[in-house]
Amino acid sequence: MYGTMLSSVLLHQKQADFIIENSDLAKEILGFIKRLDKTGSVAGGELEDIQKHLTLEDDDSPLVAALKLRLDEERELCSILECDTRWNSVCIMLNSLVKAWDEVKELLTANGEAGRLNGIVFEDMQWLNNFLSVFKDETDLLQGQNYPTLPYALLATIDLLEHCDPVLLDSPAQAVLRQRASAGVTKKLKITMDQKIATFLWPKYRHLPMLSEKDRKEVYDKVRELLSAAQTTDPDADVAAQPAPSPPKKPRLDNRFDKWCSTGRENGLGELDEVDRYLLSGSSTVQVEGLLGYWQSEFESPTALLRNLAKLAHRLLGRPATSAPSERVFSAAGFVIQERRTRLAPELVDKILFLHSFLKNTNPG
């Protein structure tokens, strides 16, 4: 990094011949370059050493002093601390900066470093924070572990795409950011049939108004196909009872999906099979935390009008929308299997992790 720039400086100043003729000076310059020749990311301690190395000393030769001054001018471009940071961590830090903007500005001004804020427009930073906060909210929903998350996948994807739609009052930079975010959502969040069916199995959204008529028909037909196959292969399969999770303590994040809720009945659905009976049922306000309990009650209902749908719901709604739950299990396993506990049997590890997850979910406090 520094070594490459130093070589360029030396060549532009046409000092190469002079250095070759003066071997002692050449050794001094080469030693100076060697300590600065660092490629890739620079750790914090190394960066501090480099900055100290650029400090002028009384015994510096004129050429070394000139090089230090020149490099110090370019230091902001060359000594950038790099690290891999998850985008949601950046979002959290940005939100904290927006909230503490006045304090940060006052502190930097008091330390004579107000120049660090040059080029930063608070209104733009605030807009970016508000724009990214929706992505973080959707991510939190999809990574939950106390409720079925798969029904949220379709809702969150469409909501994010709408969030990225152009707005007339956007600046050119904001318009470009929305466009890039929309392309990223389209590329990374592929809506699958399982996700559509999971949303269909949430009574609030069973009419799937966020989809086109063609897509809705495909979902209904696929559900009928799955029900028919299930009746043929295992018509009497039982469904284990699922404990109803405790209601969430935090404010709900899914209220913005209310525009797609099913509030009435639809006519002209043809022959009344289980799918049609479900579509024609009265409006339901069941929340996602009570979704498994809802389908368990339908399975145990004496009328058994939606029993096969209940079986499908219990098979499908247990699938997580993201890999976050699996990652949490692996993280917990890292604390169980340690240097002094390497001979634990796999079955015992499995039981320990099961109890850990069960106790954590039933006693969140």
Side-chain angles (χ1 to χ4, degrees):
M1 182 177 65
Y2 281 103
T4 302
M5 191 176 71
L6 276 168
S7 300
S8 176
V9 171
L10 292 174
L11 289 175
H12 283 295
Q13 293 183 355
K14 297 181 180 180
Q15 297 286 349
D17 293 338
F18 176 76
I19 293 176
I20 292 173
E21 293 174 359
N22 297 269
S23 58
D24 292 339
L25 183 58
K27 291 179 181 179
E28 182 181 2
I29 297 297
L30 290 175
F32 179 74
I33 293 175
K34 186 176 181 180
R35 289 192 58 182
L36 297 178
D37 192 8
K38 174 72 177 177
T39 58
S41 298
V42 181
E46 293 175 332
L47 179 61
E48 186 177 351
D49 291 340
I50 289 174
Q51 291 173 345
K52 290 180 179 178
H53 188 53
L54 292 177
T55 304
L56 291 175
E57 304 290 346
D58 294 337
D59 56 350
D60 285 342
S61 64
L63 182 56
V64 170
L67 289 175
K68 285 186 175 181
L69 290 174
R70 175 67 181 273
L71 285 171
D72 191 56
E73 295 175 357
E74 304 294 334
R75 179 170 56 87
E76 295 296 332
L77 298 178
C78 298
S79 57
I80 300 177
L81 271 174
E82 299 176 356
C83 61
D84 294 331
T85 306
R86 297 178 63 180
W87 78 268
N88 53 349
S89 299
V90 175
C91 186
I92 294 173
M93 289 187 286
L94 180 62
N95 182 55
S96 300
L97 181 58
V98 169
K99 292 181 178 179
W101 176 254
D102 292 335
E103 292 84 349
V104 171
K105 187 176 180 180
E106 182 180 351
L107 180 62
L108 290 176
T109 302
N111 292 336
E113 298 181 355
R116 291 177 177 270
L117 302 178
N118 292 341
I120 299 179
V121 181
F122 176 73
E123 289 73 17
D124 291 343
M125 184 170 60
Q126 193 174 33
W127 179 91
L128 180 61
N129 178 61
N130 294 334
F131 180 74
L132 293 179
S133 64
V134 176
F135 286 82
K136 186 177 184 306
D137 290 344
E138 305 286 16
T139 302
D140 291 342
L141 283 175
L142 292 173
Q143 292 183 351
Q145 62 180 7
N146 296 327
Y147 52 84
T149 56
L150 197 60
Y152 277 124
L154 172 64
L155 301 172
T157 301
I158 296 180
D159 189 55
L160 287 176
L161 289 173
E162 291 183 355
H163 179 60
C164 295
D165 285 342
V167 176
L168 183 61
L169 298 179
D170 280 346
S171 67
Q174 292 170 353
V176 170
L177 182 59
R178 285 187 190 272
Q179 184 179 8
R180 291 181 178 179
S182 178
V185 171
T186 304
K187 180 179 179 180
K188 294 186 177 183
L189 300 181
K190 303 292 186 181
I191 300 176
T192 66
M193 180 57 72
D194 284 349
Q195 294 170 352
K196 295 177 183 178
I197 295 175
T199 304
F200 165 74
L201 291 172
W202 191 349
K204 290 173 59 177
Y205 307 105
R206 63 188 182 280
H207 292 141
L208 302 176
M210 71 291 297
L211 299 179
S212 66
E213 183 177 353
K214 177 182 177 181
D215 290 339
R216 285 199 296 271
K217 186 177 184 303
E218 289 180 356
V219 174
Y220 300 156
D221 290 343
K222 183 62 177 180
V223 172
R224 291 187 175 98
E225 178 185 335
L226 293 173
L227 294 181
S228 177
Q231 286 176 322
T232 302
T233 57
D234 192 12
D236 299 321
D238 197 1
V239 180
Q242 301 290 332
S246 301
K249 297 180 180 179
K250 295 182 180 179
R252 301 201 63 85
L253 297 175
D254 58 2
N255 291 334
R256 58 183 170 277
F257 303 143
D258 289 347
K259 55 189 175 184
W260 295 317
C261 288
S262 298
T263 57
R265 298 169 178 260
E266 290 189 357
N267 298 320
L269 292 174
E271 184 181 357
L272 291 180
D273 55 13
E274 264 193 60
V275 173
D276 292 334
R277 286 198 295 268
Y278 175 55
L279 289 170
L280 286 170
S281 61
S283 60
S284 175
T285 58
V286 60
Q287 300 296 343
V288 70
E289 295 82 8
L291 199 51
L292 293 178
Y294 168 84
W295 284 111
Q296 184 65 29
S297 63
E298 288 293 340
F299 178 78
E300 297 173 349
S301 172
T303 59
L305 295 177
L306 303 177
R307 176 162 294 181
N308 292 312
L309 266 180
K311 295 177 183 179
L312 176 62
H314 280 87
R315 287 200 304 270
L316 188 62
L317 296 180
R319 302 177 187 176
T322 69
S323 62
S326 300
E327 293 172 3
R328 294 190 189 105
V329 173
F330 278 102
S331 178
F335 290 99
V336 175
I337 306 173
Q338 299 179 1
E339 182 179 356
R340 297 186 179 182
R341 305 180 72 185
T342 57
R343 299 187 65 181
L344 288 174
E347 297 80 8
L348 182 57
V349 174
D350 184 60
K351 293 176 181 178
I352 292 174
L353 293 176
F354 173 79
L355 289 175
H356 169 76
S357 178
F358 177 77
L359 294 175
K360 183 177 181 180
N361 292 335
T362 54
N363 301 290

